[in-house]
Amino acid sequence: MARTRDESSPLFAGNAAGTLRLIVYLALAVVLMVLDHRNGWLWRVRSVASVVVEPMYRLADLPGAGIRTLSVAFADRKLLTEQNQRLREDLLLANARLNRMASVAEQNLHLKELLDTRRSLGLKVQLARVVGVDLGAWQQRLVLNLGARDGVKPGQPVIDAHGVMGQVIDVLPTTSVVMLVTDPVHAIPVVVERSGLRTVAYGARDGSGLVLPNIPLSADVRPGDRLLTSGLGGRFPPGFPVGKVTAVTTDSTGMFRVARVRPAADIDRSEDVLLLHDQAEPDGPPAPAVPAGPPAALAPAPGASVAPAAAASAAIARTPPARPAASASLPSAAPAAAGSTR
Amino acid sequence: MNRQRLTSWWFAGTLLVALLFMLVPLPAVLEPFKPYWPALVLLYWALESEGRVSLGLAFLLGLGIDLFDGVLLGEQALRLCALVFIVLRFRSRLRFFTMGQQMLAVLALLLNDRILLLLVRLLSGAPMPPASWWFAPFTGAALWPFLFLLLDDLRMRLRLQ
């Protein structure tokens, strides 16, 4: 390889061609980023390239999995026995509680039949394991080892033993990505267990947990209050623990109170999570009875007026730019919107 | 010819391992200290192997890495392009630096990279990262001599160019 011109590394002088090339590449990168920010291409490209992407994710998971296996292999026998004993006690306790709940559940069912609501207490879940992949610093995302082939769909809620973790946002053939409830672009409709106040919990901007940014000054929220999913919006089923209020302060304008919430789920420690399979039915009054009248074929298209309300009731903005619109309309519009999606 | 092909494989292999290192999660305590591995390896090759690393390669590699670990498509392409451009511009001088000076240069490059990333993130609407976010360039610079010597030693042993 004979060197004709030492163009690639001039000692002192810069060359215009290199700078021009840099500018072209930088501009290209910026254009790509803007387009991706608007349209969310990255995940479409990623799912096309899943043949390469998924094996790399699995490969990156190997060290973590190896350490877990080793820690089990070299764990103290006594420790394991103790753990086993504790788990057995927990199971016994849980079973006992379940048995007591069974009669209550049956009673609940009867009452619901009387009230003619169809909400069921049954859960269809799928156990998934968290794949240890670092998706970049300060991203509130998880990768699960189940994907489209296992029937995972975007929007499915993900819970662990203690509460709601988040929801599936992107699905590859054998892996899927979960957006955690602590992500700043995530919003979840909640209800304060003690007072019944309905509001929306957002991921904190600094990734430290959740916040309730707009509680009326007169509303009854105290530190220690437990938050449950309210089921409004139809994304998360009602009644799952979301978190506990740790502090309540007045916001900078003095018009609202802001509560900081610690998530109930073990966000950064869970290894096994549950994927809820049946999406929650939207809460609200039953659909109005079909009025007798001219045949349906003559009626104007019904979807036109329902679509905006359904969009507003989605509990989450998929892309960051769409978020302000959703967050602005959600707290007040959610009850009405949820009712109208029926 | 065969040796040249082997060198190419070795080059691709080191970059792949760097990508894997980037994807492997660390315990939460160590997470902020994780260096930007692909940048370090690319830096080594840009310094040591003439004509192998170009702006186009850095761009394509960045796009590839974005597929695995990126918030936006093109983010790492931008960062790696800027990094490689500076290194290629000052390559002849950087090669004559002592290890200490090289470490400082690497630190400056990685800090510059973080600033670029910060700009991209802030423009895309992400919140300001915590102070621990700035630790990574320092670990990168601290690891540089070891990485450099290891890769150089392996290259000499395999008698690659």
Side-chain angles (χ1 to χ4, degrees):
Chain A
M1 222 164 53
R3 287 169 54 178
T4 46
R5 283 164 65 201
D6 195 6
E7 203 176 71
S8 65
S9 61
L11 197 49
F12 295 109
N15 51 354
T19 316
L20 193 67
R21 226 179 299 154
L22 174 78
I23 291 171
V24 168
Y25 279 126
L26 292 191
L28 204 61
V30 169
V31 167
L32 265 179
M33 277 191 284
V34 170
L35 285 178
D36 184 34
H37 192 61
R38 293 272 166 88
N39 309 327
W41 283 354
L42 186 57
W43 274 95
R44 257 173 275 169
V45 181
R46 229 179 250 191
S47 52
V48 170
S50 60
V51 187
V52 194
V53 172
E54 290 187 331
M56 281 301 268
Y57 279 177
R58 296 296 159 102
L59 218 59
D61 182 40
L62 281 183
I67 288 173
R68 274 200 297 274
T69 318
L70 277 183
S71 73
V72 170
F74 289 101
D76 203 352
R77 191 189 155 92
K78 190 160 154 275
L79 203 81
L80 285 180
T81 321
E82 264 171 28
Q83 199 180 14
N84 195 323
Q85 183 66 31
R86 213 189 54 236
L87 288 176
R88 224 180 280 188
E89 279 165 17
D90 281 354
L91 184 67
L92 205 67
L93 205 68
N95 267 338
R97 267 200 210 129
L98 260 185
N99 284 338
R100 239 186 82 204
M101 291 297 278
S103 63
V104 180
E106 203 167 318
Q107 192 183 9
N108 187 306
L109 205 69
H110 281 305
L111 290 174
K112 274 191 176 152
E113 269 169 19
L114 286 177
L115 285 171
D116 198 23
T117 61
R118 285 168 300 155
R119 236 169 59 206
S120 60
L121 285 174
L123 282 180
K124 228 176 104 202
V125 295
Q126 199 174 8
L127 188 71
R129 203 173 63 76
V130 175
V131 177
V133 171
D134 183 9
L135 279 185
W138 283 275
Q139 277 225 81
Q140 306 287 332
R141 311 272 156 103
L142 283 181
V143 180
L144 300 185
N145 69 339
L146 299 180
R149 273 184 215 157
D150 310 285
V152 178
K153 284 186 280 300
Q156 272 186 294
V158 176
I159 59 171
D160 77 350
H162 307 285
V164 177
M165 292 197 76
Q167 58 177 313
V168 176
I169 52 164
D170 283 297
V171 180
L172 294 181
T174 63
T175 43
S176 51
V177 175
V178 175
M179 180 188 269
L180 296 175
V181 286
T182 48
D183 195 295
V185 299
H186 193 276
I188 177 169
V190 293
V191 57
V192 178
E193 191 183 40
R194 186 175 49 82
S195 59
L197 174 80
R198 280 193 301 247
T199 179
V200 178
Y202 298 97
R205 297 279 288 169
D206 52 1
S208 61
L210 295 122
V211 282
L212 305 174
N214 39 18
I215 314 167
L217 283 175
S218 59
D220 183 16
V221 175
R222 282 185 234 144
D225 278 351
R226 273 159 45 89
L227 299 180
L228 306 177
T229 50
S230 66
L232 292 179
R235 182 60 61 95
F236 292 94
F240 282 103
V242 173
K244 195 184 246 183
V245 177
T246 52
V248 182
T249 48
T250 314
D251 78 346
S252 52
T253 61
M255 308 280 282
F256 291 101
R257 288 200 296 166
V258 179
R260 306 199 63 82
V261 179
R262 203 183 56 232
D266 274 340
I267 294 282
D268 43 4
R269 265 173 296 153
S270 292
E271 276 173 17
D272 295 295
V273 298
L274 292 174
L275 271 165
L276 289 191
H277 252 284
D278 32 9
Q279 305 259 322
E281 295 163 31
D283 217 349
V290 184
L298 296 176
S305 62
V306 177
S313 77
I316 171 187
R318 281 289 308 275
T319 53
R323 191 212 167 191
S327 60
S329 65
L330 236 176
S332 55
S340 68
T341 47
R342 276 289 177 89
Chain B
M1 189 62 214
N2 194 18
R3 184 131 312 261
Q4 212 164 8
R5 192 178 299 160
L6 194 65
T7 315
S8 305
W9 278 110
W10 174 241
F11 172 63
T14 49
L15 285 175
L16 203 69
V17 170
L19 172 64
L20 261 183
F21 270 37
M22 187 180 63
L23 285 177
V24 168
L26 294 177
V29 189
L30 294 179
E31 197 64 58
F33 295 97
K34 186 150 90 173
Y36 187 22
W37 288 107
L40 286 178
V41 173
L42 205 63
L43 236 163
Y44 168 80
W45 283 107
L47 281 182
E48 287 303 293
S49 182
E50 173 154 20
R52 188 176 292 284
V53 178
S54 65
L55 276 183
L57 182 96
F59 185 80
L60 287 181
L61 186 75
L63 278 190
I65 296 175
D66 272 327
L67 272 187
F68 295 97
D69 174 4
V71 185
L72 291 172
L73 193 65
E75 178 194 293
Q76 314 226 17
L78 180 98
R79 291 163 64 192
L80 288 182
C81 259
L83 186 103
V84 164
F85 176 79
I86 301 172
V87 175
L88 289 183
R89 182 47 67 93
F90 297 106
R91 179 166 177 267
S92 320
R93 267 175 271 182
L94 284 173
R95 274 162 67 83
F96 283 106
F97 278 5
T98 60
M99 198 42 98
Q101 286 169 319
Q102 247 182 35
M103 270 171 74
L104 284 181
V106 169
L107 177 65
L109 281 170
L110 291 177
L111 278 176
N112 176 54
D113 175 69
R114 279 269 130 153
I115 292 169
L116 261 183
L117 179 61
L118 184 69
L119 274 180
V120 171
R121 291 276 164 94
L122 288 184
L123 283 179
S124 71
M128 195 76 183
S132 61
W133 197 67
W134 297 97
F135 292 167
F138 292 93
T139 26
L143 283 175
W144 172 252
F146 302 102
L147 182 83
F148 185 88
L149 292 177
L150 178 77
L151 282 177
D152 232 23
D153 189 52
L154 283 172
R155 205 165 59 107
M156 289 303 144
R157 266 172 210 227
L158 297 170
R159 282 196 231 109
L160 303 172
Q161 283 211 310

Coordinates of all heavy atoms in Angstrom, one line a residue, chain B residues 87-147:
Chain B
V87 N -10.2 13.0 16.1 CA -9.0 12.1 16.3 C -8.2 12.1 15.0 O -7.0 12.2 15.0 CB -9.5 10.7 16.6 CG1 -8.3 9.8 16.6 CG2 -10.1 10.7 18.0
L88 N -8.9 12.0 13.8 CA -8.2 11.9 12.5 C -7.5 13.2 12.3 O -6.4 13.3 11.7 CB -9.2 11.6 11.4 CG -9.7 10.1 11.4 CD1 -10.6 9.9 10.2 CD2 -8.6 9.1 11.4
R89 N -8.1 14.3 12.7 CA -7.5 15.6 12.4 C -6.2 15.8 13.2 O -5.2 16.3 12.7 CB -8.5 16.7 12.9 CG -8.2 18.1 12.7 CD -7.7 18.5 11.4 NE -8.6 18.5 10.2 CZ -9.3 19.4 9.8 NH1 -9.4 20.5 10.4 NH2 -10.0 19.3 8.7
F90 N -6.2 15.3 14.4 CA -5.0 15.4 15.3 C -4.2 14.1 15.5 O -3.4 14.0 16.4 CB -5.4 15.9 16.7 CG -6.0 17.3 16.6 CD1 -7.3 17.5 16.8 CD2 -5.2 18.4 16.4 CE1 -7.9 18.7 16.7 CE2 -5.8 19.7 16.3 CZ -7.1 19.8 16.5
R91 N -4.4 13.2 14.5 CA -3.9 11.9 14.7 C -2.3 11.9 14.9 O -1.8 11.3 15.8 CB -4.2 11.0 13.5 CG -3.7 9.6 13.5 CD -4.3 8.8 12.5 NE -3.7 7.5 12.5 CZ -2.7 7.2 11.7 NH1 -2.2 8.0 10.8 NH2 -2.1 6.0 11.8
S92 N -1.7 12.6 14.0 CA -0.2 12.6 14.0 C 0.3 13.1 15.3 O 1.3 12.6 15.8 CB 0.3 13.4 12.9 OG -0.4 13.2 11.7
R93 N -0.4 14.1 15.9 CA 0.1 14.6 17.1 C -0.2 13.7 18.3 O 0.6 13.5 19.2 CB -0.5 16.0 17.4 CG 0.4 17.1 16.8 CD -0.3 18.5 17.0 NE -1.0 18.8 15.8 CZ -1.7 19.9 15.6 NH1 -1.7 20.8 16.5 NH2 -2.4 20.1 14.5
L94 N -1.4 13.2 18.3 CA -1.8 12.3 19.4 C -0.9 11.1 19.5 O -0.7 10.6 20.6 CB -3.3 11.8 19.1 CG -4.4 12.8 19.4 CD1 -5.7 12.3 19.0 CD2 -4.4 13.2 20.9
R95 N -0.4 10.6 18.3 CA 0.4 9.4 18.4 C 1.7 9.7 19.1 O 2.4 8.7 19.6 CB 0.7 8.9 17.0 CG -0.4 8.0 16.4 CD -0.4 7.9 14.9 NE 0.8 7.3 14.5 CZ 0.9 5.9 14.4 NH1 -0.1 5.2 14.8 NH2 2.0 5.4 13.9
F96 N 2.2 10.9 19.1 CA 3.4 11.2 19.8 C 3.3 11.6 21.2 O 4.3 11.8 21.9 CB 4.2 12.3 19.0 CG 4.8 11.8 17.8 CD1 4.3 12.1 16.5 CD2 5.9 11.0 17.8 CE1 4.9 11.6 15.4 CE2 6.5 10.5 16.7 CZ 6.0 10.8 15.5
F97 N 2.1 11.6 21.7 CA 1.8 12.0 23.1 C 2.3 10.9 24.0 O 2.3 9.7 23.6 CB 0.3 12.2 23.3 CG -0.2 13.5 22.9 CD1 0.6 14.5 22.3 CD2 -1.5 13.9 23.2 CE1 0.2 15.7 21.9 CE2 -2.0 15.1 22.8 CZ -1.1 16.0 22.2
T98 N 2.7 11.3 25.2 CA 3.0 10.2 26.2 C 1.6 9.7 26.7 O 0.6 10.3 26.4 CB 3.7 10.8 27.4 OG1 2.9 11.8 28.0 CG2 5.1 11.4 27.0
M99 N 1.7 8.6 27.5 CA 0.4 8.0 27.9 C -0.4 8.9 28.7 O -1.6 9.0 28.6 CB 0.7 6.7 28.7 CG -0.4 5.8 28.8 SD -1.4 5.6 27.3 CE -0.7 4.1 26.7
G100 N 0.2 9.7 29.6 CA -0.5 10.7 30.4 C -1.2 11.7 29.6 O -2.4 12.0 29.8
Q101 N -0.5 12.2 28.6 CA -1.1 13.2 27.7 C -2.2 12.6 26.9 O -3.3 13.2 26.7 CB 0.0 13.8 26.8 CG 0.9 14.7 27.5 CD 2.1 15.1 26.6 OE1 2.6 14.2 25.9 NE2 2.5 16.3 26.6
Q102 N -2.0 11.4 26.5 CA -3.1 10.7 25.7 C -4.3 10.5 26.6 O -5.4 10.7 26.1 CB -2.6 9.3 25.2 CG -2.4 9.3 23.7 CD -2.0 7.9 23.3 OE1 -2.3 6.9 23.8 NE2 -1.2 7.9 22.2
M103 N -4.1 10.2 27.8 CA -5.3 10.0 28.7 C -6.1 11.3 28.8 O -7.3 11.3 28.7 CB -4.8 9.6 30.1 CG -4.7 8.1 30.3 SD -3.9 7.7 31.9 CE -5.2 8.1 33.0
L104 N -5.3 12.4 28.9 CA -6.0 13.7 29.0 C -6.8 14.0 27.7 O -7.9 14.5 27.7 CB -5.0 14.8 29.3 CG -4.5 14.9 30.7 CD1 -3.6 16.0 30.9 CD2 -5.7 15.0 31.7
A105 N -6.1 13.7 26.6 CA -6.8 13.9 25.3 C -8.1 13.0 25.2 O -9.1 13.5 24.8 CB -5.8 13.5 24.2
V106 N -8.0 11.8 25.6 CA -9.1 10.9 25.6 C -10.2 11.5 26.5 O -11.4 11.5 26.1 CB -8.7 9.5 26.0 CG1 -10.0 8.6 26.3 CG2 -7.9 8.8 25.0
L107 N -9.8 11.9 27.7 CA -10.8 12.5 28.6 C -11.5 13.7 27.9 O -12.8 13.8 28.0 CB -10.1 13.0 29.9 CG -11.0 13.7 30.9 CD1 -12.0 12.7 31.4 CD2 -10.2 14.3 32.0
A108 N -10.8 14.5 27.3 CA -11.4 15.7 26.6 C -12.3 15.2 25.5 O -13.4 15.7 25.4 CB -10.3 16.6 26.0
L109 N -11.9 14.2 24.7 CA -12.8 13.7 23.7 C -14.1 13.1 24.2 O -15.2 13.4 23.7 CB -12.0 12.6 22.9 CG -11.0 13.1 21.9 CD1 -10.2 11.9 21.4 CD2 -11.7 13.7 20.7
L110 N -14.0 12.4 25.3 CA -15.2 11.7 25.9 C -16.1 12.8 26.5 O -17.3 12.7 26.4 CB -14.8 10.7 26.9 CG -14.1 9.4 26.3 CD1 -13.7 8.5 27.4 CD2 -15.0 8.7 25.3
L111 N -15.5 13.8 27.1 CA -16.3 14.9 27.7 C -17.0 15.6 26.6 O -18.2 15.9 26.7 CB -15.4 15.8 28.5 CG -15.1 15.4 29.9 CD1 -14.1 16.4 30.6 CD2 -16.3 15.2 30.8
N112 N -16.3 15.8 25.5 CA -16.9 16.5 24.3 C -18.1 15.6 23.8 O -19.2 16.2 23.5 CB -15.9 16.6 23.3 CG -16.5 17.2 22.0 OD1 -17.1 18.3 22.0 ND2 -16.3 16.5 20.9
D113 N -17.9 14.3 23.8 CA -18.9 13.4 23.4 C -20.2 13.5 24.3 O -21.3 13.5 23.9 CB -18.3 12.0 23.4 CG -19.4 10.9 23.1 OD1 -19.8 10.9 22.0 OD2 -19.7 10.2 24.0
R114 N -19.9 13.6 25.6 CA -21.0 13.7 26.6 C -21.8 15.0 26.3 O -23.0 15.0 26.4 CB -20.5 13.7 28.0 CG -20.2 12.3 28.5 CD -21.4 11.7 29.2 NE -21.6 10.4 28.7 CZ -22.2 9.4 29.4 NH1 -22.6 9.6 30.6 NH2 -22.4 8.3 28.8
I115 N -21.1 16.1 26.1 CA -21.7 17.3 25.8 C -22.6 17.3 24.6 O -23.8 17.7 24.6 CB -20.7 18.5 25.7 CG1 -20.0 18.7 27.0 CG2 -21.3 19.8 25.2 CD1 -18.8 19.6 26.9
L116 N -22.1 16.6 23.5 CA -22.9 16.4 22.3 C -24.2 15.6 22.7 O -25.3 16.0 22.3 CB -22.1 15.6 21.3 CG -21.4 16.3 20.2 CD1 -20.7 15.3 19.3 CD2 -22.5 17.1 19.4
L117 N -24.0 14.5 23.4 CA -25.1 13.7 23.8 C -26.1 14.5 24.6 O -27.4 14.4 24.4 CB -24.6 12.5 24.6 CG -25.7 11.5 25.1 CD1 -26.5 10.9 23.9 CD2 -25.1 10.4 25.9
L118 N -25.6 15.3 25.5 CA -26.5 16.1 26.4 C -27.3 17.1 25.5 O -28.5 17.2 25.7 CB -25.6 16.9 27.4 CG -26.4 17.8 28.4 CD1 -27.1 16.8 29.3 CD2 -25.5 18.7 29.1
L119 N -26.7 17.7 24.5 CA -27.4 18.6 23.6 C -28.5 17.8 22.9 O -29.7 18.3 22.8 CB -26.4 19.1 22.5 CG -25.6 20.3 22.9 CD1 -24.7 20.8 21.8 CD2 -26.6 21.5 23.2
V120 N -28.2 16.6 22.4 CA -29.2 15.9 21.6 C -30.4 15.5 22.6 O -31.5 15.7 22.2 CB -28.6 14.6 21.1 CG1 -29.6 13.6 20.5 CG2 -27.5 14.9 20.0
R121 N -30.0 15.1 23.8 CA -31.1 14.7 24.7 C -32.0 15.8 25.1 O -33.2 15.7 25.1 CB -30.5 14.0 26.0 CG -29.8 12.7 25.8 CD -30.8 11.6 25.8 NE -30.2 10.4 25.2 CZ -29.6 9.4 26.0 NH1 -29.5 9.6 27.3 NH2 -29.1 8.4 25.4
L122 N -31.3 17.0 25.4 CA -32.1 18.1 25.8 C -33.0 18.6 24.7 O -34.1 19.0 24.9 CB -31.2 19.2 26.3 CG -30.5 19.0 27.6 CD1 -29.7 20.2 28.0 CD2 -31.4 18.7 28.7
L123 N -32.4 18.6 23.5 CA -33.3 19.0 22.4 C -34.4 18.1 22.1 O -35.5 18.5 21.6 CB -32.4 19.1 21.1 CG -31.5 20.4 21.0 CD1 -30.7 20.3 19.8 CD2 -32.3 21.6 21.1
S124 N -34.3 16.8 22.4 CA -35.4 15.9 22.2 C -36.3 15.8 23.4 O -37.2 15.0 23.5 CB -34.8 14.5 21.9 OG -34.3 13.9 23.1
G125 N -36.1 16.7 24.4 CA -37.0 16.9 25.5 C -36.8 16.0 26.7 O -37.7 15.9 27.5
A126 N -35.6 15.5 26.8 CA -35.3 14.7 28.0 C -34.9 15.6 29.2 O -34.4 16.7 28.9 CB -34.2 13.7 27.7
P127 N -35.1 15.2 30.4 CA -34.7 16.0 31.5 C -33.2 16.0 31.7 O -32.4 15.2 31.1 CB -35.3 15.3 32.7 CG -35.5 13.9 32.3 CD -35.7 13.9 30.8
M128 N -32.7 17.0 32.5 CA -31.2 17.1 32.7 C -30.8 15.9 33.5 O -31.4 15.6 34.5 CB -31.1 18.4 33.6 CG -29.6 18.9 33.7 SD -29.1 19.7 32.1 CE -27.4 20.0 32.5
P129 N -29.7 15.3 33.1 CA -29.3 14.1 33.8 C -28.6 14.5 35.2 O -28.1 15.6 35.3 CB -28.2 13.4 32.9 CG -27.8 14.6 32.0 CD -28.9 15.5 31.9
P130 N -28.5 13.5 36.1 CA -27.9 13.8 37.4 C -26.4 14.0 37.2 O -25.8 13.7 36.2 CB -28.2 12.6 38.2 CG -28.5 11.5 37.2 CD -29.0 12.1 36.0
A131 N -25.7 14.4 38.3 CA -24.3 14.7 38.3 C -23.5 13.5 38.0 O -22.4 13.5 37.3 CB -23.9 15.3 39.6
S132 N -24.0 12.3 38.4 CA -23.2 11.0 38.2 C -23.1 10.7 36.7 O -22.3 9.9 36.3 CB -23.9 9.9 38.9 OG -25.2 9.7 38.4
W133 N -23.9 11.4 35.9 CA -23.8 11.2 34.4 C -22.4 11.5 33.9 O -22.0 11.0 32.8 CB -24.9 12.0 33.8 CG -25.2 11.6 32.4 CD1 -25.9 10.5 32.0 CD2 -25.0 12.4 31.2 NE1 -26.1 10.5 30.7 CE2 -25.6 11.7 30.2 CE3 -24.4 13.6 31.0 CZ2 -25.5 12.1 28.9 CZ3 -24.4 14.1 29.7 CH2 -24.9 13.3 28.6
W134 N -21.7 12.4 34.6 CA -20.4 12.9 34.1 C -19.3 12.0 34.5 O -18.1 12.3 34.2 CB -20.2 14.3 34.5 CG -21.2 15.3 33.9 CD1 -22.4 15.7 34.6 CD2 -21.3 15.8 32.6 NE1 -23.1 16.5 33.7 CE2 -22.4 16.6 32.5 CE3 -20.4 15.7 31.5 CZ2 -22.8 17.3 31.4 CZ3 -20.7 16.4 30.4 CH2 -21.9 17.2 30.3
F135 N -19.6 10.9 35.2 CA -18.5 10.1 35.7 C -17.8 9.2 34.6 O -16.7 9.0 34.6 CB -19.0 9.1 36.8 CG -19.4 9.7 38.1 CD1 -20.1 9.0 39.0 CD2 -19.0 11.0 38.3 CE1 -20.4 9.7 40.2 CE2 -19.3 11.7 39.5 CZ -20.1 11.0 40.4
A136 N -18.7 8.9 33.6 CA -18.3 7.9 32.6 C -17.0 8.3 31.8 O -16.1 7.5 31.6 CB -19.4 7.6 31.7
P137 N -16.9 9.6 31.4 CA -15.7 9.9 30.6 C -14.4 9.7 31.5 O -13.4 9.3 30.9 CB -15.9 11.4 30.4 CG -17.3 11.6 30.4 CD -17.9 10.7 31.4
F138 N -14.5 9.9 32.8 CA -13.3 9.8 33.6 C -12.9 8.3 33.7 O -11.7 8.0 33.6 CB -13.6 10.3 35.0 CG -13.7 11.8 35.0 CD1 -15.0 12.4 34.9 CD2 -12.6 12.6 35.0 CE1 -15.1 13.8 34.8 CE2 -12.7 14.0 35.0 CZ -14.0 14.6 34.8
T139 N -13.9 7.4 33.9 CA -13.5 5.9 33.8 C -13.0 5.6 32.5 O -12.0 4.8 32.4 CB -14.7 5.0 34.2 OG1 -15.9 5.7 33.8 CG2 -14.7 4.6 35.6
G140 N -13.6 6.1 31.4 CA -13.1 5.8 30.1 C -11.6 6.2 29.9 O -10.8 5.5 29.5
A141 N -11.3 7.4 30.4 CA -9.9 7.9 30.3 C -9.0 7.1 31.2 O -7.9 6.8 30.8 CB -9.8 9.4 30.7
A142 N -9.5 6.7 32.4 CA -8.7 5.9 33.3 C -8.4 4.5 32.7 O -7.3 3.9 32.9 CB -9.3 5.8 34.6
L143 N -9.3 4.0 32.0 CA -9.2 2.6 31.4 C -8.3 2.7 30.1 O -7.9 1.6 29.6 CB -10.5 2.0 31.1 CG -11.3 1.5 32.3 CD1 -12.7 1.0 31.9 CD2 -10.5 0.3 32.9
W144 N -8.2 3.9 29.5 CA -7.6 4.0 28.2 C -6.2 3.3 28.1 O -5.9 2.5 27.2 CB -7.5 5.5 27.8 CG -6.7 5.7 26.6 CD1 -5.5 6.3 26.5 CD2 -7.0 5.3 25.2 NE1 -5.0 6.3 25.2 CE2 -6.0 5.7 24.4 CE3 -8.1 4.7 24.7 CZ2 -5.9 5.5 23.1 CZ3 -8.1 4.4 23.3 CH2 -7.0 4.9 22.5
P145 N -5.2 3.6 29.1 CA -3.9 3.0 29.0 C -4.0 1.4 28.9 O -3.3 0.8 28.1 CB -3.2 3.4 30.2 CG -3.9 4.5 30.7 CD -5.3 4.4 30.3
F146 N -4.9 0.9 29.7 CA -5.0 -0.6 29.8 C -5.5 -1.1 28.5 O -5.0 -2.1 27.9 CB -5.9 -1.0 31.0 CG -5.4 -0.5 32.3 CD1 -6.0 0.6 32.9 CD2 -4.3 -1.1 32.9 CE1 -5.5 1.1 34.1 CE2 -3.8 -0.6 34.1 CZ -4.4 0.5 34.7
L147 N -6.6 -0.5 28.0 CA -7.2 -0.9 26.7 C -6.2 -0.8 25.6 O -6.0 -1.7 24.8 CB -8.4 -0.1 26.5 CG -9.1 -0.5 25.2 CD1 -10.1 -1.6 25.5 CD2 -9.9 0.7 24.6

